[in-house]
């Protein structure tokens, strides 16, 4: 079946540090890949997405590249800010593997950025 | 506009009460979703409506009853809930049938507390 594995948190960084949150996936078809962010007390916001191999999604300084050969979609940002403190979810959507296109989420990684 | 709205923002109810959660989108999306999210966990899919028809019910107890009156509205009727049903309830929508693996756009959620 389809699944997403992302690095366990929490991750604590100082402002302006480099961020990487690892995400790997298992899928039977050709999934679309997503990063969602959830700020405290809020719903999920789409951060970025990629729909095919070698696509790079980017938004607000965050980037992730769809790597089919390593089945990965790692999230990176060159210089984090305190306002980036949130929970980050990696997710996939695949019409195969019995998931019918529904979102499969990783467990989430909590990021705390200190001034 | 990629906005999904949900009301109320917070809801406190007793185990004998009947209440409803409301979700609305005006993006012309044809798939709408209900998720339940417990603290420090990813969202769990409850129901999927595709073209106003219930297409997925993830073995949710009958005390949760979804309704899709039209293509813009999604309700979740609640009756005889248990304290363990306390959670953040998220609504989402996507342009087409879930199997198309389109991006899902989430609302801000309703924080439900069952006493």
């Amino acid at each position: 079946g389809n699944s997403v594995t992302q690095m366990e948190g929490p991750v604590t960084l100082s402002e302006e540090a480099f961020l990487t949150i690892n995400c790997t996936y298992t899928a039977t078809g050709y999934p679309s890949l997503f990063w969602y962010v959830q700020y405290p007390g809020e719903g999920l916001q789409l951060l970025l997405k990629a729909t095919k191999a070698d696509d790079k999604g980017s938004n607000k300084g965050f980037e992730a590249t769809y790597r089919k050969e390593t089945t990965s979609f790692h999230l990176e940002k060159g210089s984090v800010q305190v306002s980036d403190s949130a929970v980050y979810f990696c997710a996939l959507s695949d019409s195969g593997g019995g998931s019918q296109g529904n979102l499969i989420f990783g467990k989430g990684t909590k990021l705390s950025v200190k001034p | 506009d990629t906005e999904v709205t949900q009301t109320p923002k917070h809801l406190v109810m007793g185990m004998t009460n009947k209440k409803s959660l409301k979700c609305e989108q005006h993006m012309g999306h044809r798939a709408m979703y209900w998720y339940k999210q417990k603290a420090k966990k990813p969202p769990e899919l409850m129901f999927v409506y595709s073209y106003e028809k219930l297409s997925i019910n993830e073995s949710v107890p009958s005390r949760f009853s979804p309704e899709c009156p039209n293509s813009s509205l999604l309700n979740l009727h609640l009756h005889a809930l248990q304290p363990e049903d306390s959670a953040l309830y998220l609504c989402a929508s996507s342009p087409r049938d879930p199997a198309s693996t389109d991006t899902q756009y989430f609302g801000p959620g309703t924080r439900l507390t069952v006493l």
Side-chain angles (χ1 to χ4, degrees), chain B residues 1-66:
Chain B
D1 182 11
T2 54
E3 188 177 30
V4 177
T5 59
Q6 291 187 243
T7 54
K9 192 170 176 61
H10 300 276
L11 178 62
V12 179
M13 61 186 292
M15 289 190 284
T16 58
N17 291 157
K18 286 185 180 181
K19 296 286 184 183
S20 297
L21 310 184
K22 181 179 172 181
C23 172
E24 198 163 2
Q25 57 87 12
H26 294 288
M27 297 177 279
H29 288 180
R30 302 314 302 272
M32 296 186 76
Y33 310 77
W34 280 116
Y35 289 85
K36 174 183 177 180
Q37 186 181 24
K38 301 285 277 185
K40 300 185 180 182
K41 298 288 187 183
E44 299 174 15
L45 184 65
M46 301 175 71
F47 301 104
V48 181
Y49 273 83
S50 180
Y51 292 86
E52 300 159 54
K53 287 186 168 45
L54 183 64
S55 64
I56 293 176
N57 175 341
E58 291 286 358
S59 303
V60 179
S62 60
R63 58 185 184 267
F64 295 92
S65 175

Side-chain angles (χ1 to χ4, degrees), chain A residues 81-99:
Chain A
Q81 305 300 311
V82 172
S83 57
D84 294 326
S85 297
V87 179
Y88 292 82
F89 290 98
C90 185
L92 73 80
S93 179
D94 182 8
S95 55
S99 62

Side-chain angles (χ1 to χ4, degrees), chain A residues 25 27 29-34 48-57 63-74 92-94:
Chain A
Y25 67 90
Y30 302 91
S32 294
L33 301 174
F34 306 87
L48 53 83
K49 68 176 184 181
T51 57
K52 60 183 188 297
D54 299 324
D55 269 1
K56 178 187 281 188
E63 293 183 342
T65 301
Y66 188 142
R67 302 281 188 205
K68 191 170 171 61
E69 65 275 13
T70 54
T71 61
S72 64
F73 193 54
H74 305 319
L92 73 80
S93 179
D94 182 8

